[in-house]
Amino acid sequence: MNQQVLDEMYRIVDRCIHTDDLNGLMKSFIAARAEGGSVWAELAECSHRMLGGQSPHITKAAALAELIMLTLDIVDDLQDRDKEHKVWMKCPETFTLNAVLGFLMVFMGEIGQLQLHAGQTAPLLTTEVSQLIVSAVNGQQKDINPLVNIKDESDYFNMVQLKSGSLIRLACYMGYSLVESQGEEISGRIDELAYSLGVIAQIENDVNNLEQFKGGNDLLQRKRTLPILYMLSQGRDSFPELIQFYEGEQTAEAFMQESSRDCLEAIADSGCLEYARIIQSLYYDKAEELFESIPGQSPWRERFRQATLGRFGTRALGNNG
């Protein structure tokens, strides 16, 4: 995150949040995000500039992309309870919830101002942004209640497109919507690329999570990620305890105590991680093809690729080292 974007995020908070302790708390969340690294602002700016955009409002658009992604990440962490080291998980939850409300209202007010200033360049900005955020919320609900919403791979990919794909598309939209002549065909390719990138990123998270058999593990939370769905499809014969656990016949504590070693062996023997990597590679190839079909100016096109495909290239191609 560059300094201009960070400064703009602070200015946005200062313009709207006048209670000193809440203002300071929200800024501390922003600072923590900046220290940890984030690509959302870069996706917005690169999407804008590689298509020839020169809007004076792009820094604000990039800052707003970072603000809404930070807000949604905080909510996600509150739901999952698996990242207690984060600064927003260490303070009283009532304070964090107030900060979330503040970020949401600040974002909606500022996005309205951005559309007003952008004029005809971005006539549907607030409408499209709202729809993409709602899509991500729908996807998040499917993810946190998988026993109801995810029965097979089709349901999984639908969830991922809503949850992850919508967020990447949102960051890109915040940039290319401010370009006067981007064209529907090009923006459509970027949207399709965003969904493929969302699948690639989600599978990366799913594989990494399954390799860590501990309290926050997706399997112990009975989530139905791509590799877990693959294991469940074989579970009756190779690991019946997993089926029993997912059907509620065994608690997470009992399953972890009695079957953790067997589960680690089952994960290694099932081929579920290799299967997930193969599917990831297919989406990576599709994303590469889509990216090559999108024109763009240097160096922004190359920076966009590095921030997206460049993060997953070696692993998506099957190199787990």
Side-chain angles (χ1 to χ4, degrees):
M1 187 188 306
N2 68 48
Q3 191 63 45
Q4 286 183 317
V5 170
L6 182 60
D7 290 343
E8 180 61 26
M9 293 172 75
Y10 288 150
R11 282 194 292 268
I12 289 171
V13 172
D14 282 338
R15 283 197 293 270
C16 303
I17 305 298
H18 305 133
T19 304
D20 290 343
D21 60 335
L22 181 59
N23 180 290
L25 187 68
M26 292 169 68
K27 286 181 179 177
S28 74
F29 293 176
I30 292 171
R33 168 53 66 90
E35 290 176 5
S38 182
V39 300
W40 301 113
E42 186 167 12
L43 289 184
E45 184 174 12
C46 289
S47 298
H48 180 77
R49 299 198 186 280
M50 75 179 187
L51 298 181
Q54 298 180 350
S55 172
H57 308 296
I58 185 56
T59 298
K60 181 173 183 177
L64 289 175
E66 285 287 355
L67 275 181
I68 193 60
M69 299 304 178
L70 170 59
T71 306
L72 295 174
D73 279 350
I74 293 171
V75 173
D76 183 72
D77 289 343
L78 288 171
Q79 291 170 338
D80 291 346
R81 301 285 175 181
D82 60 351
K83 295 178 181 176
E84 298 297 332
H85 64 283
K86 295 292 184 69
V87 62
W88 44 82
M89 300 298 291
K90 291 181 178 180
C91 66
E93 187 172 302
T94 51
F95 292 5
T96 300
L97 289 173
N98 237 12
V100 166
L101 289 174
F103 279 133
L104 285 173
M105 294 302 100
V106 165
F107 175 82
M108 294 311 298
E110 293 289 319
I111 201 75
Q113 287 294 318
L114 179 61
Q115 178 164 317
L116 181 65
H117 293 149
Q120 294 183 349
T121 304
L124 300 177
L125 182 62
T126 55
T127 300
E128 290 292 332
V129 165
S130 297
Q131 289 177 350
L132 288 168
I133 294 172
V134 169
S135 292
V137 171
N138 277 303
Q140 178 70 359
Q141 180 63 28
K142 289 177 181 290
D143 186 42
I144 63 177
N145 195 14
L147 296 180
V148 172
N149 294 305
I150 301 176
K151 303 299 184 184
D152 52 31
E153 288 190 9
S154 177
D155 292 337
Y156 168 82
F157 286 114
N158 176 259
M159 177 275 292
V160 173
Q161 286 198 338
L162 289 172
K163 179 188 172 185
S164 302
S166 293
L167 295 183
I168 297 175
R169 183 182 168 191
L170 173 58
C172 295
Y173 179 79
M174 292 294 290
Y176 74 66
S177 64
L178 299 181
V179 180
E180 292 187 4
S181 58
Q182 84 275 8
E184 291 186 7
E185 182 180 356
I186 298 302
S187 60
R189 291 179 191 172
I190 294 176
D191 290 345
E192 191 176 354
L193 172 61
Y195 284 130
S196 293
L197 291 170
V199 174
I200 294 168
Q202 188 63 53
I203 292 177
E204 187 74 15
N205 290 338
D206 294 345
V207 169
N208 290 340
N209 182 279
L210 199 57
E211 291 174 335
Q212 305 172 40
F213 198 84
K214 57 184 181 179
N217 187 276
D218 287 341
L219 191 147
L220 296 178
Q221 296 180 12
R222 293 191 177 95
K223 287 193 174 185
R224 295 178 184 267
T225 65
L226 184 63
I228 291 175
L229 284 168
Y230 185 85
M231 286 184 68
L232 290 171
S233 70
Q234 301 181 340
R236 292 288 180 191
D237 298 325
S238 62
F239 193 24
E241 295 88 350
L242 181 65
I243 301 296
Q244 294 169 7
F245 172 55
Y246 265 72
E247 290 180 349
E249 299 174 11
Q250 200 174 33
T251 66
E253 292 77 12
F255 179 75
M256 191 170 186
Q257 182 177 358
E258 298 175 12
S259 306
S260 59
R261 182 175 300 176
D262 292 338
C263 190
L264 287 170
E265 293 178 359
I267 291 171
D269 295 342
S270 68
C272 66
L273 300 181
E274 292 82 359
Y275 173 75
R277 289 296 186 197
I278 290 171
I279 301 301
Q280 187 187 42
S281 292
L282 294 175
Y283 274 90
Y284 185 91
D285 291 342
K286 180 180 180 182
E288 280 272 30
E289 183 178 347
L290 284 165
F291 178 77
E292 292 302 323
S293 73
I294 299 170
Q297 298 182 8
S298 295
W300 303 102
R301 188 172 185 272
E302 291 77 13
R303 286 179 57 176
F304 180 93
R305 188 190 188 286
Q306 183 58 37
T308 54
L309 291 166
R311 298 175 62 204
F312 303 105
T314 55
R315 292 189 67 86
L317 291 172
N319 179 2
N320 294 336

